[in-house]
Amino acid sequence: MKNKLLAALMLTFCCANVASAETITLIPDAYVDVAQGTLVRGKAIIVDGNSIVDIVPTESVSSDARVVRLDGKTLVPGLIDAHSHVLLHPYNEISWNDQVLKESITERALRASNHMRSTLMAGFTSLRDLGSEGAEYADVAVRDSLHKGVIIGPRLIVAGKAIVATGSYGPKGYADHHSITLGAEPADGADLVRVVRDQIGRGADIVKVYADYRWGPNGEARPTFSVDELKTIVDVAASSGRPVIAHASTDEAMRRATLAGVQSIEHGDGGSLKTFKLMREKNVIFCPTVAAGDAISQYRGWVKGSGEVPARIKQKKTSMENAIKAGVTICNGSDVGVFPHGDNVRELELLVMHGLSPQEVLKAATITGAELMGMKDKLGQIKKGYLADLITVEGNPLEDVSVLKEVSFVMKDGVIYKGAK
């Protein structure tokens, strides 16, 4: 009884200021056609339930319609961050080791509800969450609580526990007689079949594997799985209709994961031009997570404009140059959690700094993100029949992605969470 009462109170608290889904006509100054890279003016977007049901000339709007005028605003599809960790918070607040070992799963889930709200209010209406980082299947619970209306936040697909090779992952440095909670689930060889199936059975939407990790003789990153092992993971996941994504920072791990058939490569710091060309050939998407490396470097005392630029930042610059030259598809995935939730636009700004145009970056954060969410035909664009995930900003994000830092209106699934009511 107490649990039911608590759930009811949480639902009331979270949803008290949220309008119900209904027929709404939105009239902005312009909306962004992401596919064409243009601003469209003189149009009204009609939302019914959770979908865009029509786009009509402004002058044809019925006087009986419920109209939300977004004067001076540009309407943009809800943004998508394809690499997030809602169960983590910045490492300069508390280290990753201490989050895994000292924070209870309950605390981490409660923090995640705050992270979800902050992210939604920043204009990100969808997330791929890539690993619970020692919090078991708390990410599945967060996703399910979102579906039930207990909390508010972006649409969420989750990986549950990531898969790592035995002995490769942390926390490390403890005496052998201690049993330490790991940040992911070890598995090898034939046991990979059981682990992938178990994760799927426990609610994972996607499967994440660490194709390499820092387990070399001197702590350097080295590949952790063979191509055959990675193929086993991909084949088992594919049988259930789920994709596999791979953490890979070394060129060899990226190559192996690409040959195995993963959906995306995360990080890719050491990617060569040859490997990025292979990724393009195999239609593997690159998720560079530039913001994570940038944030960690700053936490470790490096400040832009002073001192020596860290090798990690230089390496990322080279990998981005290779990726762009190879023509590989690049998504927006920030690794948020390493830095504060709600500051996700940091990745978009850094992608521009690393050579993408604002139009390419906006596409990475909408159309490409929708593909990774498995929703490319109903998410990521302002089109009839698509889900009503919409935000507004002042200015033109096709020219300056920084305008996305100031979001004044947020609608997800036809419900207004921020802005005009």
Side-chain angles (χ1 to χ4, degrees):
M1 181 66 183
K2 287 183 179 179
N3 288 339
K4 289 182 179 179
L5 178 59
L6 178 61
L9 288 171
M10 289 180 70
L11 177 58
T12 301
F13 173 76
C14 290
C15 300
N17 295 315
V18 177
S20 300
E22 59 177 315
T23 303
I24 303 172
T25 299
L26 304 176
I27 303 181
D29 273 11
Y31 77 85
V32 177
D33 183 330
V34 180
Q36 298 300 317
T38 58
L39 286 184
V40 180
R41 300 186 185 276
K43 298 291 185 179
I45 290 78
I46 301 176
V47 174
D48 186 34
N50 70 344
S51 299
I52 298 169
V53 295
D54 210 351
I55 300 175
V56 301
T58 303
E59 59 270 18
S60 68
V61 173
S62 167
S63 59
D64 296 329
R66 183 199 164 185
V67 175
V68 175
R69 295 193 175 275
L70 302 165
D71 298 333
K73 307 297 183 182
T74 302
L75 199 66
V76 184
L79 302 173
I80 301 169
D81 193 328
H83 191 130
S84 68
H85 292 283
V86 299
L87 290 157
L88 291 176
H89 56 106
Y91 297 171
N92 64 335
E93 295 176 0
I94 182 171
S95 70
W96 180 84
N97 271 21
D98 284 351
Q99 291 186 53
V100 174
L101 297 175
K102 295 183 179 180
E103 294 182 348
S104 70
I105 293 177
T106 302
E107 176 187 343
R108 294 182 66 187
L110 289 168
R111 285 181 179 273
S113 68
N114 290 332
H115 300 159
M116 292 281 282
R117 176 183 285 271
S118 296
T119 303
L120 180 63
M121 296 307 171
F124 285 79
T125 56
S126 298
L127 299 176
R128 275 197 319 173
D129 200 68
L130 301 188
S132 64
E133 305 289 333
E136 296 294 317
Y137 291 94
D139 54 349
V140 173
V142 171
R143 179 202 65 198
D144 292 348
S145 296
L146 178 72
H147 288 170
K148 294 174 184 177
V150 177
I151 61 174
I152 67 168
R155 182 177 295 100
L156 194 65
I157 60 173
V158 301
K161 298 179 178 182
I163 298 173
V164 293
T166 298
S168 67
Y169 207 65
K172 291 185 175 182
Y174 298 89
D176 290 342
H177 61 278
H178 290 298
S179 179
I180 300 298
T181 297
L182 295 179
E185 184 170 14
D188 313 279
D191 194 41
L192 289 166
V193 175
R194 179 192 63 80
V195 168
V196 173
R197 287 174 177 162
D198 183 61
Q199 291 193 359
I200 290 168
R202 291 174 183 269
D205 300 304
I206 51 180
V207 175
K208 179 183 179 180
V209 60
Y210 278 77
D212 60 16
Y213 204 68
R214 298 184 294 273
W215 73 322
N218 300 304
E220 72 274 20
R222 292 292 183 91
T224 49
F225 290 106
S226 68
V227 174
D228 286 343
E229 286 177 309
L230 293 168
K231 282 183 176 178
T232 295
I233 295 169
V234 170
D235 288 347
V236 175
S239 293
S240 74
R242 289 168 172 81
V244 174
I245 68 97
H247 166 114
S249 60
T250 63
D251 191 59
E252 175 60 15
M254 293 170 66
R255 186 188 72 84
R256 293 183 190 182
T258 298
L259 291 174
V262 301
Q263 182 189 43
S264 65
I265 298 286
E266 313 297 306
H267 311 305
D269 294 354
S272 66
L273 180 60
K274 181 178 180 181
T275 295
F276 279 120
K277 286 182 177 179
L278 178 65
M279 288 172 61
R280 180 183 179 182
E281 177 188 334
K282 301 292 185 180
N283 296 315
V284 176
I285 293 171
F286 178 40
C287 193
T289 66
V290 184
D294 182 72
I296 289 172
S297 294
Q298 291 187 46
Y299 296 159
R300 291 176 179 171
W302 174 67
V303 179
K304 291 180 181 178
S306 64
E308 181 66 22
V309 177
R312 180 172 184 168
I313 301 298
K314 291 180 179 178
Q315 187 182 42
K316 180 67 76 176
K317 184 176 184 297
T318 300
S319 75
M320 285 296 297
E321 290 171 350
N322 287 336
I324 292 169
K325 186 174 182 179
V328 69
T329 299
I330 297 174
C331 76
N332 170 61
S334 67
D335 216 352
V336 65
V338 174
F339 61 93
H341 297 273
D343 190 22
N344 306 60
V345 172
R346 174 187 289 206
E347 179 76 13
L348 305 184
E349 293 178 312
L350 286 167
L351 288 175
V352 171
M353 290 175 60
H354 280 76
L356 295 182
S357 70
Q359 180 182 343
E360 290 170 330
V361 169
L362 196 56
K363 184 177 179 179
T366 52
I367 292 174
T368 305
E371 181 177 351
L372 290 172
M373 295 288 293
M375 303 177 73
K376 65 180 180 179
D377 293 328
K378 54 184 176 180
L379 192 67
Q381 297 188 65
I382 300 176
K383 293 177 67 174
K384 184 177 178 179
Y386 276 55
L387 292 174
D389 282 20
L390 303 164
I391 65 174
T392 62
V393 296
E394 292 186 8
N396 184 357
L398 295 167
E399 297 177 351
D400 180 9
V401 297
S402 295
V403 303
L404 295 166
K405 293 168 75 172
E406 298 294 335
V407 171
S408 54
F409 173 89
V410 175
M411 171 183 278
K412 191 196 90 176
D413 273 333
V415 178
I416 299 172
Y417 289 88
K418 181 179 182 179
K421 297 294 186 183

